[in-house]
Amino acid sequence: MGIDPARPALLEGTAPRNVFTRRDHHGDSVLDADVVVIGSGAGGATIAAELAEAGFDVIVLEEGSYYQTRDFTADTSAMVRQLYRDGGATMALGSPPILYQEGRAVGGSTVINGGMSWRTPDKVLARWDRELGLSGIARELEPCFERVERRIHTAPMDPEAIGNDNLLLKQGADAKGWKLIGNLRNQAHCAGSNRCAFGCPTGAKQSALVSYVPRALHYGARIYADVHVDHITRHGKRATGVYGRVSGSGHRITVRARLVVAACGAIHTPALLVRSGFRSPSGQLGKNLSMHPNVKVVAIFDEDVTGWKGAHQAFQVREFQDQGLLFAAVNMPPSILAMSFPQRGAQLGQLMQHYDRMVLAGMLCEDTTTGRVRTINGQPQAFYQLAEADAANLKRGVVLLSELLFAAGAKRILLPFHGAGDLYGPDDARRLLNRDIPARGWEVVTVHMMGTARMGTDRTAAVTSSFGQVHDADRLMVADASLFPTPIGVNPMETIMALATRAAGHVIDNATRFLS
Ligand SMILES: Cc1cc2nc3c(=O)[nH]c(=O)nc-3n(C[C@H](O)[C@H](O)[C@H](O)COP(=O)(O)OP(=O)(O)OC[C@H]3O[C@@H](n4cnc5c(N)ncnc54)[C@H](O)[C@@H]3O)c2cc1C
Ligand code: SF4
């Protein structure tokens, strides 16, 4: 029997009542709702569930498809094709270009994220409060964090789900006397299968797909998957709804709503607002793009590490957090790792024979500069130039991380910049400090894009209010990573969810104004 090439890579199963997919559309449709939410990720799913629970009639439109836990398999390339926008290969232009990744599915990037669940650091909230006029935000977010953590089950890892690569990271940090903390993750008895970035096959990870989305559905929200929203409709400054197209058929779907919430993520929300004709007098729409640059090193040990067993990131090294640096051990499947090496052919084969003895360690660097998202022919294009100061911090981080890995017993370390020789001991690592590595030489990736519709009370400096209401527009809100006025230095999912919870509370408290 031949293989049907048209068969979808994932088994898109039967959807629950109130989830509509491309197969449910047989022509153009016009729908009415109190609230239409565009995007179903960390921000969109949260605000949709909170508003539905409060009795609002909510429609969510999501460009990606609807998959369920049983659809998530070990076929990495199929998962990447289905769950990642552009197969995970989108670039921010600059020197070096920065590869970034976003989810595109019901549940958004939470379906493919690592599950690290951190509150916004106190010092960041203090700064937002003091310098950016977001007074009282720390106090107001406190109950939102508690609520989010209950909904997504933020919890420490079960020890048996922690893999050897992470235990080696801990061993190295302990040997150096550096601060390391156990990760809080949105999981319930994670089985340590290390597939978080390709859809959790056990359902242990409490992504929006298995937490906020079912909650929203339970309270009557309708979710339309496979719908790309082209445009927000408006009457003067007032948003009146949206229209979009169903993927595959091109059927048009129009939603008339009293409140429109853009939650497409920090790259797509500014483009949607711009192509819908909204302008911000602040001039900040699309600007202020933080990327939390991420580089990796690969350490090879003498003994088997089997880094593919155990949860995606069980610890974070926080010793250098004040200097904007976080370290973690992050395993990748062989097919993805092999693509990231410069070697090819037999040389690559030889290197990959060490796969079982490798520890992949990643470093997040808080950036001191920002880029921007431009909307070109209606589509977003990110531009970001890695600052020389941040490249210098990356170099320092690579040296420190390599020292840690050698302290854990690594024999050889492969580096993330062009033309680098391998390291064979801590002295080699320290010698890097004297080496000139220009910003353009780094291999940088990111999964944390933020800030392109920054919130703030001053409408001449910010795109939205602290609740995400777009300044100088009516009935239009933003509820996603675009809102961050500054980088936050830690993984952003919980901050996004807490801001969306707070925004929902504001709408609920002012329901008559929003529903009139
Ligand atoms: C691989 C990976 C690992 C990560 N690991 C972590 C982690 O461990 N911890 C953490 O805190 N953060 C992590 N993150 C980041 C975190 O998941 C994101 O910051 C967060 O999900 C962003 O939330 P959001 O609501 O802004 O956007 P998203 O969650 O990306 O949701 C946006 C949704 O909008 C949809 N959309 C966009 N445009 C349109 C349109 N025009 N019409 C209809 N729908 C549209 C998209 O398809 C998408 O589903 C990770 C991200 C990735 C990609
Ligand atoms: S490691 Fe845990 S959370 Fe990640 S995919 Fe496996 S079971 Fe799910």
Side-chain angles (χ1 to χ4, degrees):
M1 206 169 69
I3 296 171
D4 175 4
R7 179 185 175 277
L10 296 191
L11 311 170
E12 294 176 63
T14 313
R17 196 169 67 86
N18 275 3
V19 174
F20 303 93
T21 71
R22 64 172 87 86
R23 288 182 291 277
D24 297 308
H25 297 268
H26 304 289
D28 295 350
S29 39
V30 179
L31 306 163
D32 289 295
D34 293 334
V35 184
V36 62
V37 180
I38 312 146
S40 62
T46 304
I47 198 165
E50 292 292 348
L51 292 179
E53 184 168 349
F56 289 72
D57 178 20
V58 178
I59 287 182
V60 180
L61 300 176
E62 165 58 54
E63 183 178 344
S65 296
Y66 177 71
Y67 301 108
Q68 302 183 56
T69 298
R70 66 181 177 194
D71 297 320
F72 301 139
T73 72
D75 183 344
T76 301
S77 65
M79 299 300 117
V80 169
R81 276 199 310 279
Q82 301 290 328
L83 301 174
Y84 282 65
R85 182 178 292 280
D86 300 328
T90 331
M91 287 282 183
L93 299 183
S95 179
I98 297 183
L99 185 69
Y100 66 86
Q101 280 135 13
E102 303 165 283
R104 187 177 57 181
V106 171
S109 301
T110 72
V111 175
I112 53 164
N113 78 12
M116 263 52 68
S117 303
W118 300 116
R119 295 186 181 196
T120 328
D122 289 344
K123 82 166 192 208
V124 174
L125 289 177
R127 181 171 170 216
W128 289 2
D129 185 322
R130 214 179 38 246
E131 291 173 27
L132 303 174
L134 300 171
S135 68
I137 196 155
R139 181 177 25 83
E140 288 171 24
L141 280 178
E142 181 75 19
C144 301
F145 285 127
E146 284 167 15
R147 191 171 169 92
V148 168
E149 287 165 359
R150 278 198 305 278
R151 297 280 183 266
I152 64 169
H153 206 280
T154 300
M157 300 290 303
D158 290 348
E160 55 272 31
I162 299 176
N164 283 337
D165 56 341
N166 276 274
L167 292 173
L168 284 167
L169 184 86
K170 178 169 179 347
Q171 196 177 309
D174 290 348
K176 301 291 289 179
W178 291 348
K179 179 179 172 188
L180 167 139
I181 56 167
N183 275 335
L184 294 174
R185 297 177 64 238
N186 56 331
Q187 49 80 39
H189 304 301
C190 155
S193 64
N194 212 329
R195 299 291 302 168
C196 315
F198 310 99
C200 174
T202 68
K205 189 178 80 177
Q206 298 295 289
S207 70
L209 176 67
V210 297
S211 55
Y212 281 111
V213 164
R215 200 168 180 92
L217 293 171
H218 173 76
Y219 287 104
R222 287 167 282 168
I223 298 185
Y224 288 80
D226 308 314
V227 174
H228 173 81
V229 172
D230 294 323
H231 212 81
I232 298 171
T233 53
R234 49 195 289 195
H235 183 75
K237 290 190 167 184
R238 178 174 173 165
T240 55
V242 302
Y243 67 79
R245 301 222 168 247
V246 180
S247 62
S249 66
H251 290 313
R252 185 174 162 124
I253 179 163
T254 304
V255 181
R256 299 180 296 214
R258 294 185 167 88
L259 175 63
V260 176
V261 182
C264 305
I267 302 294
H268 290 270
T269 282
L272 174 63
L273 296 184
V274 167
R275 68 176 179 259
S276 303
F278 292 96
R279 298 283 178 270
S280 171
S282 68
Q284 288 294 310
L285 183 57
K287 293 191 180 159
N288 195 43
L289 172 68
S290 295
M291 296 203 98
H292 212 189
N294 185 337
V295 298
K296 71 161 189 340
V297 301
V298 177
I300 303 179
F301 286 72
D302 267 350
E303 72 277 12
D304 273 359
V305 174
T306 56
W308 43 274
K309 288 187 193 165
H312 183 87
Q313 300 186 43
F315 302 110
Q316 268 185 0
V317 178
R318 289 277 177 107
E319 180 72 16
F320 307 101
Q321 188 178 11
D322 281 351
Q323 294 142 59
L325 295 172
L326 300 178
F327 306 150
V330 192
N331 181 264
M332 282 189 228
S335 53
I336 306 262
L337 180 64
M339 277 193 294
S340 75
F341 287 135
Q343 289 86 345
R344 290 291 168 261
Q347 271 188 328
L348 179 60
Q350 267 166 13
L351 182 57
M352 288 306 292
Q353 281 180 7
H354 298 297
Y355 180 71
D356 266 356
R357 292 191 268 133
M358 289 177 181
V359 171
L360 274 65
M363 178 176 57
L364 287 167
C365 172
E366 188 172 336
D367 35 2
T368 58
T369 187
T370 56
R372 70 178 297 182
V373 172
R374 285 182 191 276
T375 304
I376 302 170
N377 295 330
Q379 296 309 310
Q381 175 59 57
F383 294 84
Y384 185 93
Q385 182 53 51
L386 183 70
E388 290 294 342
D390 294 339
N393 209 19
L394 286 176
K395 179 167 78 172
R396 212 174 134 261
V398 163
V399 172
L400 293 165
L401 183 54
S402 302
E403 286 182 24
L404 177 154
L405 291 162
F406 283 123
K411 299 296 179 218
R412 175 183 168 197
I413 290 181
L414 316 182
L415 295 170
F417 45 86
H418 297 299
D422 299 344
L423 308 179
Y424 291 92
D427 291 341
D428 284 355
R430 283 188 281 273
R431 272 194 286 276
L432 281 179
L433 287 172
N434 301 322
R435 184 167 164 180
D436 182 32
I437 310 164
R440 67 175 184 280
W442 288 89
E443 289 161 17
V444 185
V445 299
T446 185
V447 292
H448 297 167
M449 294 74 73
M450 319 168 241
T452 50
R454 62 186 299 174
M455 60 182 181
T457 43
D458 179 357
R459 58 185 59 225
T460 64
V463 178
T464 79
S465 75
S466 77
F467 294 108
Q469 288 167 279
V470 176
H471 289 309
D472 290 293
D474 187 21
R475 312 299 177 97
L476 178 60
M477 295 180 78
V478 172
D480 61 24
S482 317
L483 293 175
F484 291 14
T486 68
I488 62 169
V490 295
N491 317 62
M493 174 181 68
E494 208 176 291
T495 301
I496 299 164
M497 289 175 164
L499 288 171
T501 304
R502 178 169 168 272
H506 179 70
V507 174
I508 294 163
D509 290 345
N510 297 280
T512 45
R513 175 143 64 86
F514 283 103
L515 291 188
S516 61

